[in-house]
Amino acid sequence: MSRRVALVAAAALPCGKWQTPADAALQVLEHEVLASLVADAVAEAGIDRRDIGSLAFAQCRPYTLQKYFATFMAHYLRLPCTGTVSETLGNGMTAGLAFERAVDDILLGRAKVALALGVNFETATSAAEHMMSSMRATGDVDFQVPFGFTPIAWYAMDAARYMHEYGVSREAIASVAVKNRRHASLNPLAQFRKLITMEDVLAQPMIVEPLGLFEVPPRSDGAVCLVLAEEEVARATGRPYALIRGRGFYHEGAHQISEVPNDMTALAAAQRSGQAAYAAAGVGPSDIDFAEVYAPCTIVEVLVSEALGLMPRGRGAHGAAESETSLGGRIPICTSGGLQSRGHPAYVTPFYTFVEVLEQLQGRAGERQVRDARLALTSAELGNYNAALVHVLEAVR
């Protein structure tokens, strides 16, 4: 197809605690929060709201009171659509798949402008309810769930295997947390912005050994609206935008916790989807100026940086410890602060990835700006990278 798609504007709620308890006298309503962001993003884009033809929502958490959220929001926003109004679910990749739906509606000629948007509220939900929901989603209800096998547990096993195979110290992996907090300190959207040291990280209680409190993601609330458009529409605004150059997706045909033996530290789906995205964009890993990857735990950032060819195999943790992946380093990774510090409102987390990429490619990232940023790489996962979605985006100014 001759059409090309651009990301032109974004508005986001700072990650944090926004959900109100069920018995609170005054409720913070998800649809009101998101509607405000839609107004801000559309105004920033400088487009005519009548050109919006599609609304691609990341499905809300099951705790959200308003059901049939997408069609309710089309009504609430008074946005008739000739493309589609839909909700997408794909665990950690939920927002990434919603982004894809918006892109595809433009490529198929169903819309000149599409919104990719969503809200994730979970912090006032009880820990027990949240954990039971997470375990039923990520494991086999007949096998793993009765034994309390959590997502952090499998990441911890990845870390233990990586440390064994490559002789990597826990401190090297923990350096990712220190680096990401430094980046988050410069990001007004980040949930945790106070600088931390290696000593701080190592002093935290273990969640699942060898991962401590600062090496895993918090529970977070968040909401984002992205505005995507045909490149012709984006160009007509006279504003800088991020052009989508390449996309890649691969699902291994295995669930997030699988009994099928595999290389725990290879992240094969990220390798395959990354190769497809690079090929579509006509670039390679060495051409990328910075990457914003989906990495709930420190070890996941290490592994995905290697799988995407940004770091040599077995060198990802050392790269973080030696500042290669820091701002000012050879290949900055997670300049937003990453999931440990920027926050992890799971069903909309990939949207925050695109917010960061857009700000960087527009040259609006302030103190965390990557110098001369032109090409960015993003990733999203379904869970333990059993599936991966990768994009390459280019700055057009």
Side-chain angles (χ1 to χ4, degrees):
M1 296 181 182
S2 59
R3 293 185 184 90
R4 299 204 299 180
V5 180
L7 175 59
V8 296
L13 184 73
C15 293
K17 294 184 177 182
W18 298 95
Q19 186 185 37
T20 43
D23 60 354
L26 185 64
Q27 293 288 320
V28 177
L29 298 176
E30 290 98 327
H31 61 271
E32 292 181 351
V33 170
L34 188 56
S36 177
L37 295 176
V38 171
D40 290 345
V42 171
E44 181 190 328
I47 54 99
D48 190 326
R49 70 191 304 272
R50 291 172 295 184
D51 286 335
I52 299 172
S54 290
L55 303 176
F57 287 83
Q59 186 170 306
C60 297
R61 282 297 208 182
Y63 327 122
T64 302
L65 295 178
Q66 180 65 56
K67 303 305 178 185
Y68 292 138
F69 194 80
T71 187
F72 173 83
M73 285 299 296
H75 166 78
Y76 191 75
L77 295 166
R78 299 296 192 267
L79 279 176
C81 292
T82 57
T84 58
V85 176
S86 62
E87 292 182 60
T88 301
L89 177 63
N91 203 26
M93 198 186 288
T94 294
L97 294 174
F99 183 88
E100 285 287 273
R101 184 60 188 263
V103 171
D104 287 342
D105 275 358
I106 294 171
L107 289 175
L108 291 169
R110 292 173 174 166
K112 291 183 178 180
V113 177
L115 304 185
L117 67 170
V119 59
N120 181 109
F121 276 14
E122 62 182 47
T123 58
T125 302
S126 74
E129 181 181 358
H130 181 72
M131 184 53 67
M132 286 303 298
S133 177
S134 295
M135 287 192 294
R136 292 199 305 273
T138 57
D140 185 325
V141 295
D142 291 329
F143 182 56
Q144 287 101 356
V145 175
F147 300 99
F149 198 79
T150 67
I152 301 303
W154 83 58
Y155 292 134
M157 289 194 294
D158 291 343
R161 186 69 187 179
Y162 184 83
M163 292 165 67
H164 170 75
E165 287 189 356
Y166 296 104
V168 173
S169 67
R170 184 190 166 205
E171 286 81 358
I173 296 174
S175 67
V176 173
V178 179
K179 179 265 296 183
N180 282 346
R181 184 62 68 88
R182 186 165 60 252
H183 292 174
S185 72
L186 306 174
N187 185 2
L189 295 178
Q191 186 168 354
F192 299 110
R193 301 182 62 190
K194 181 181 178 181
L195 292 172
I196 56 176
T197 65
M198 178 63 70
E199 291 72 23
D200 294 328
V201 176
L202 299 180
Q204 299 308 304
M206 283 289 173
I207 302 303
V208 182
E209 192 171 358
L211 301 176
L213 181 64
F214 287 173
E215 298 160 275
V216 303
R219 287 171 63 185
S220 311
D221 301 326
V224 178
C225 178
L226 305 175
V227 181
L228 296 101
E230 290 181 351
E231 188 178 17
E232 181 180 341
V233 173
R235 191 181 300 116
T237 68
R239 306 177 185 201
Y241 56 87
L243 182 67
I244 299 168
R245 284 276 305 272
R247 302 188 285 168
F249 174 86
Y250 187 77
H251 193 301
E252 293 180 313
H255 194 47
Q256 297 166 48
I257 304 173
S258 173
E259 75 284 0
V260 179
N262 68 353
D263 185 335
M264 295 174 63
T265 64
L267 304 191
Q271 292 179 20
R272 293 283 294 271
S273 56
Q275 290 164 3
Y278 289 136
V283 301
S286 63
D287 297 310
I288 301 301
D289 296 308
F290 71 99
E292 192 71 16
V293 300
Y294 189 106
C297 302
T298 49
I299 182 60
V300 184
E301 181 176 314
V302 169
L303 298 181
V304 75
S305 71
E306 296 178 9
L308 294 173
L310 304 174
M311 296 295 300
R313 190 84 189 268
R315 287 288 305 170
H318 295 299
E322 295 165 9
S323 299
E324 284 190 67
T325 58
S326 295
L327 283 166
R330 179 181 63 81
I331 175 65
I333 296 177
C334 290
T335 56
S336 69
L339 277 59
Q340 302 97 53
S341 289
R342 185 206 59 218
H344 183 29
Y347 283 10
V348 296
T349 289
F351 284 156
Y352 281 91
T353 293
F354 290 111
V355 172
E356 178 68 14
V357 164
L358 181 62
E359 290 190 353
Q360 290 283 356
L361 294 182
Q362 289 178 323
R364 299 189 299 111
E367 292 181 86
R368 67 183 192 286
Q369 181 65 50
V370 175
R371 184 176 179 181
D372 299 325
R374 187 181 69 87
L375 284 176
L377 184 75
T378 72
S379 73
E381 65 153 341
L382 273 172
N384 205 25
Y385 278 88
N386 66 320
L389 176 65
V390 176
H391 289 85
V392 175
L393 296 96
E394 180 181 19
V396 180
R397 301 179 185 173

